[in-house]
Amino acid sequence: MTRYHPIIITVLGTMLSACLTTAPQPAAPVRQPAVRSEGQQLKFQLASGVYRCEAGRRVQVQRDAINSNLIELGWQGQRRTLLRYDSTSGLPRYEDRQNGLLWIDLPWKSVLMDARTGQPLANECKLG
């Protein structure tokens, strides 16, 4: 976690400073797009490997060297390819919609969820 601490502080500081500044108000209301563009999605350079999670669970993550929008996930003896989808928060969100798997990827921890029920399958996952 200490390796990513400066990045976290920088991101949080930027977010907080954006909340404190006020921009001049336009004369007429401006309609904002409902969908975030790819440029607003956060990009983390995270490593491949075995993620150790609570309750002794393990998730193998192999990141695609060519396409950063793909990861291969090993879970309970199965290998699945997950595709990154935009998220409203901008955080990395990879899904295998056919099999209902969702991997949320952060520098300090990750979580594997059942996308259909929203229940965590492997929580507090850390590379190690």
Side-chain angles (χ1 to χ4, degrees):
M1 181 171 150
T2 58
R3 187 169 87 182
Y4 294 107
H5 189 65
I7 295 169
I8 295 166
I9 297 296
T10 303
V11 169
L12 290 176
T14 302
M15 291 174 159
L16 287 175
S17 66
C19 293
L20 296 174
T21 59
T22 57
Q25 297 297 318
V30 177
R31 194 174 177 131
Q32 297 295 325
V35 178
R36 297 174 68 108
S37 71
E38 173 133 347
Q40 294 174 319
Q41 297 297 298
L42 298 174
K43 304 268 187 214
F44 298 119
Q45 295 295 325
L46 300 174
S48 296
V50 175
Y51 283 71
R52 288 174 172 60
C53 313
E54 285 182 340
R57 293 184 173 97
R58 295 173 146 201
V59 179
Q60 173 72 37
V61 176
Q62 180 62 48
R63 300 182 190 282
D64 191 301
I66 297 169
N67 185 350
S68 64
N69 289 322
L70 294 175
I71 62 171
E72 187 171 313
L73 195 104
W75 169 248
Q76 294 185 332
Q78 301 286 320
R79 307 263 330 146
R80 305 281 188 216
T81 300
L82 282 68
L83 176 63
R84 182 173 180 172
Y85 289 89
D86 286 354
S87 66
T88 55
S89 66
L91 295 172
R93 174 188 178 97
Y94 295 89
E95 287 186 67
D96 173 359
R97 291 186 171 171
Q98 181 178 357
N99 294 296
L101 292 177
L102 167 64
W103 178 255
I104 298 175
D105 219 353
L106 301 167
W108 55 92
K109 73 174 185 176
S110 298
V111 62
L112 179 63
M113 298 180 70
D114 181 321
R116 296 177 183 122
T117 65
Q119 296 297 313
L121 301 171
N123 202 6
E124 297 287 330
C125 301
K126 297 175 184 173
L127 187 63

